[in-house]
């Protein structure tokens, strides 16, 4: 279809050029008509040039997008994440509204929550409209440019402005729209919500946290504690893959200053000092990731792991085998024992285990049974009284697959955002703060960026010759003929 449009545009540009020649040759005494001759000739050449430059325009658009880092996949990921976040907050507000109505406080729900839900609905609509526009540009951008060139070639500049504007908008939005997440996050993050001294000082960031062991595998069901000046401000539970989704508007982590993060795995705890500016990983799609590596721990399954007091594991190999509804985890590792160092193997009491230690200097083996979250665990600890002793451990742990259902309860979570501002149905006015943040982050900032792209498109349209619509020329010609 694009080929047919370009052929028609070329014929119109040739027609425009020859109309200009015709006006040159006609013996007319009217200057207002005669002056169209050079204009039409130039327009015909310009429009024909755009026809022949069509492929080059598409190539330059793609090239410039790659140079400045435009990525449609990241853009759609950002849109999806943000839309889900807003929809989640709308659902929370609706649930709180139902609770208020059941408590006889329906007037609060109607007067306060309903306007907030309406504003958030507008945010969702804007995000969906931006998604539709981006889809049109991706699917039909090349065809729209061909249509713009066709309109640009119509004689007497009757649709020249429209064609120039279509061409410029496709070019500018194709290159610039994928960068909108980067623009929005830079101007809206971090933001002071003015909700409490803690949030004013430390800010808030919504992100995904991954907890990995020494081998880079996800640690099942970690518990993360967040401390600010030795005060617990958040507590989150991870899933079976070691992932914590903190994109919920009630959750989040500090974003401005360094804080302490403690990770607990079946009773084993280790602390880290987190600097958001250095440890948070920001992507062009607007997502934020925090990766935590437990370098002293090797995960073998749910509540099954090996932990050491330092990271001098020379070599670790883990193999898994499933048979007859049972899973066996084989671990082959070499570890350097220093003076008073240790290596502990933790597993569930119902497991069948076999531990072989190749090293006569390993003289002490301590076995401890304890209960953690209603799970009976065993910890085998190995010591050495010598310095720099290398020992090889062969560990086999067998358990029934039917027993690996995760943990019944990891305890109550403490939300950084919600609990810091003490958001509850007894103080519904504090629900305004996250909504204000989202309105600025996902409504005002994107609209401002769209306005920048639109003004840039208009500027490019002027360069393409669309500054003066053909109707103005017709009016001017009419006045001069009188």
């Amino acid at each position: 279809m694009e080929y047919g449009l370009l052929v028609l545009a070329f014929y119109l540009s040739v027609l425009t050029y020859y109309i200009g020649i015709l006006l040159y040759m006609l013996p007319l005494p009217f200057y207002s008509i005669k002056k169209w001759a050079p204009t039409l000739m130039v327009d015909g050449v310009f429009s024909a040039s755009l026809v022949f430059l069509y492929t080059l325009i598409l190539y330059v658009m793609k090239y410039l997008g790659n140079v400045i880092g435009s990525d449609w996949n990241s853009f759609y990921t950002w849109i999806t994440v943000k839309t889900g976040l807003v929809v989640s907050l709308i659902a929370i507000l609706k649930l709180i509204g139902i609770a208020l109505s059941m408590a006889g406080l329906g007037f609060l729900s109607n007067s306060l929550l309903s306007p907030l839900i309406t504003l958030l609905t507008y945010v969702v609509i804007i995000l969906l409209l931006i998604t539709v526009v981006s889809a049109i540009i991706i699917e039909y951008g090349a065809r729209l440019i061909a249509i713009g060139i066709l309109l640009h070639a119509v004689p007497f500049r009757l649709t020249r402005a429209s064609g120039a504007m279509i061409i410029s908008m496709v070019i500018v939005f194709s290159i610039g729209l994928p960068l909108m997440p980067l623009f929005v996050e830079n101007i809206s993050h971090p933001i002071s919500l003015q909700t409490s001294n803690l949030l004013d000082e430390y800010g808030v960031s919504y992100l995904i946290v991954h907890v990995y062991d020494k081998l880079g595998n996800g640690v099942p069901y970690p518990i993360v504690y967040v401390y600010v000046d030795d005060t617990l401000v958040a507590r989150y539970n991870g899933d079976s893959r070691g992932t914590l989704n903190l994109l919920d508007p009630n959750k989040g982590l500090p974003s401005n200053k360094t804080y302490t993060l403690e990770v607990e795995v079946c009773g084993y705890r280790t602390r880290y000092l987190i600097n958001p500016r250095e440890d948070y990983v920001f992507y062009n799609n607007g997502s934020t990731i925090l990766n935590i590596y437990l370098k002293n721990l090797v995960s073998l399954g749910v509540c099954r792991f090996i932990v050491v007091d330092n990271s001098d594991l020379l070599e670790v190999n883990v193999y898994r085998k499933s048979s007859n509804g049972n899973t066996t985890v084989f671990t082959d590792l070499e570890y350097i024992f220093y003076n008073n160092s240790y290596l502990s193997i933790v597993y569930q009491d119902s497991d069948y285990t076999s531990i072989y230690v190749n090293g006569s200097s390993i003289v002490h083996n301590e076995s401890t049974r304890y209960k953690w979250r209603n799970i009976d665990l065993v910890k085998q600890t190995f010591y050495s009284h010598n310095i720099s002793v290398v020992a090889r451990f062969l560990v086999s742990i067998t358990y029934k697959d039917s027993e690996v259902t995760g943990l019944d309860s990891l305890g109550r979570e403490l939300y950084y955002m919600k609990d810091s501002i003490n958001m509850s149905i007894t103080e519904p006015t504090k629900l305004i703060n996250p909504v204000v943040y989202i309105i600025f982050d996902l409504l005002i900032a994107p609209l401002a960026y769209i306005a920048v792209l639109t003004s840039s498109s208009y500027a490019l349209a002027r360069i393409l010759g669309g500054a003066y619509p053909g109707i103005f020329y017709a009016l001017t010609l009419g006045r001069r003929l009188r």
Side-chain angles (χ1 to χ4, degrees):
M1 183 176 182
E2 289 83 355
Y3 176 78
L5 293 173
L6 293 175
V7 170
L8 181 58
F10 176 73
Y11 288 152
L12 287 176
S13 64
V14 173
L15 176 63
T16 302
Y17 181 81
Y18 280 105
I19 290 176
I21 293 179
L22 178 62
L23 292 179
Y24 253 132
M25 298 174 61
L26 289 176
L28 297 175
F30 304 107
Y31 173 76
S32 299
I33 297 178
K34 295 289 289 185
K35 77 170 187 174
W36 272 99
T39 301
L40 291 174
M41 294 174 67
V42 171
D43 289 350
V45 174
F46 191 11
S47 299
S49 300
L50 289 178
V51 172
F52 293 117
L53 292 174
Y54 173 77
T55 303
L56 180 61
I57 292 173
L58 297 180
Y59 173 79
V60 171
M61 287 167 48
K62 184 177 180 179
Y63 175 76
L64 291 179
N66 292 333
V67 168
I68 64 178
S70 297
D71 185 357
W72 284 109
N73 291 330
S74 299
F75 171 80
Y76 280 122
T77 301
W78 181 83
I79 285 285
T80 302
V81 170
K82 295 300 184 180
T83 303
L85 187 148
V86 178
V87 171
S88 298
L89 184 54
I90 291 176
I92 292 173
L93 293 177
K94 286 185 175 293
L95 290 175
I96 293 177
I98 294 174
L100 288 173
S101 299
M102 294 178 63
L105 300 175
F107 66 95
L108 285 178
S109 175
N110 296 329
S111 61
L112 178 62
L113 296 184
S114 294
L116 296 181
I117 293 174
T118 302
L119 289 174
L120 292 176
T121 303
Y122 292 150
V123 173
V124 174
I125 293 174
I126 291 298
L127 293 177
L128 292 178
L129 288 176
I130 293 174
T131 304
V132 171
V133 170
S134 64
I136 292 174
I137 291 175
I138 292 175
E139 295 295 330
Y140 304 104
R143 187 174 303 175
L144 288 174
I145 291 179
I147 293 174
I149 294 175
L150 175 62
L151 295 176
H152 191 279
V154 173
F156 295 101
R157 297 189 173 186
L158 296 177
T159 57
R160 183 185 180 91
S162 301
M165 196 63 188
I166 291 175
I167 297 172
S168 62
M169 290 194 69
V170 173
I171 294 175
V172 172
F173 277 73
S174 295
I175 298 173
L177 189 58
L179 298 177
M180 186 176 69
L182 191 61
F183 171 84
V184 171
E185 296 302 323
N186 282 337
I187 69 171
S188 64
H189 173 81
I191 183 172
S192 175
L193 297 177
Q194 299 181 355
T195 54
S196 68
N197 293 332
L198 174 63
L199 292 180
D200 287 342
E201 183 177 359
Y202 283 84
V204 60
S205 180
Y206 298 103
L207 66 164
I208 301 291
V209 179
H210 298 290
V211 180
Y212 298 108
D213 67 355
K214 181 177 177 62
L215 300 180
N217 299 318
V219 179
Y221 304 106
I223 302 176
V224 171
Y225 302 85
V226 181
Y227 295 91
V228 172
D229 297 330
D230 294 327
T231 300
L232 181 65
V233 297
R235 179 188 181 280
Y236 299 120
N237 301 328
D239 60 16
S240 60
R241 298 174 297 175
T243 300
L244 297 88
N245 187 341
L246 306 185
L247 298 177
D248 190 308
N250 293 319
K251 298 182 178 180
L253 288 175
S255 62
N256 296 347
K257 298 179 64 176
T258 301
Y259 62 93
T260 301
L261 187 144
E262 184 179 61
V263 180
E264 179 182 4
V265 181
C266 297
Y268 169 74
R269 295 194 179 197
T270 181
R271 285 197 169 196
Y272 300 87
L273 203 60
I274 303 298
N275 185 338
R277 292 179 176 85
E278 297 178 359
D279 297 323
Y280 290 178
V281 181
F282 302 96
Y283 293 93
N284 287 340
N285 61 5
S287 62
T288 306
I289 302 293
L290 172 61
N291 295 318
I292 302 296
Y293 291 92
L294 307 181
K295 296 182 178 180
N296 295 347
L297 185 143
V298 177
S299 177
L300 306 179
V302 178
C303 290
R304 300 172 180 92
F305 58 89
I306 297 174
V307 63
V308 298
D309 65 339
N310 55 59
S311 58
D312 290 327
L313 287 171
L314 296 182
E315 184 178 358
V316 181
N317 295 301
V318 179
Y319 311 94
R320 285 178 170 82
K321 178 181 178 182
S322 297
S323 177
N324 299 324
N326 295 330
T327 295
T328 302
V329 182
F330 301 95
T331 306
D332 182 359
L333 65 87
E334 289 187 354
Y335 172 67
I336 298 181
F337 278 93
Y338 295 112
N339 190 30
N340 295 325
S341 64
Y342 70 87
L343 180 147
S344 296
I345 303 171
V346 178
Y347 52 89
Q348 296 190 26
D349 189 42
S350 59
D351 297 343
Y352 175 79
T353 61
S354 173
I355 302 174
Y356 173 77
V357 183
N358 181 14
S360 58
S361 299
I362 311 302
V363 297
H364 188 68
N365 176 17
E366 179 182 286
S367 179
T368 304
R369 280 178 164 78
Y370 66 99
K371 185 181 290 290
W372 184 84
R373 302 294 176 186
N374 295 323
I375 298 178
D376 294 320
L377 301 175
V378 178
K379 181 170 71 173
Q380 297 277 356
T381 303
F382 298 85
Y383 301 90
S384 173
H385 297 308
N386 297 328
I387 298 177
S388 299
V389 175
V390 179
R392 183 181 182 187
F393 285 78
L394 298 176
V395 181
S396 172
I397 299 177
T398 301
Y399 53 87
K400 293 182 179 180
D401 295 339
S402 59
E403 296 178 356
V404 186
T405 57
L407 303 178
D408 295 336
S409 175
L410 292 177
R412 176 187 176 273
E413 290 188 317
L414 178 66
Y415 293 165
Y416 173 72
M417 180 67 181
K418 184 184 75 172
D419 294 320
S420 293
I421 64 177
N422 194 24
M423 189 191 324
S424 66
I425 62 174
T426 60
E427 294 180 294
T429 56
K430 293 184 177 179
L431 291 170
I432 296 176
N433 297 292
V435 176
V436 170
Y437 170 78
I438 290 178
I439 292 298
F440 177 79
D441 186 53
L442 300 179
L443 181 63
I444 297 177
L447 289 179
Y449 188 71
I450 295 297
V452 172
L453 294 181
T454 303
S455 62
S456 301
S457 301
Y458 178 74
L460 180 59
R462 291 176 63 91
I463 297 176
L464 295 177
Y468 305 101
I471 186 63
F472 292 162
Y473 278 90
L475 293 176
T476 302
L477 176 62
R479 288 197 297 269
R480 290 180 180 178
L481 288 175
R482 296 192 192 98

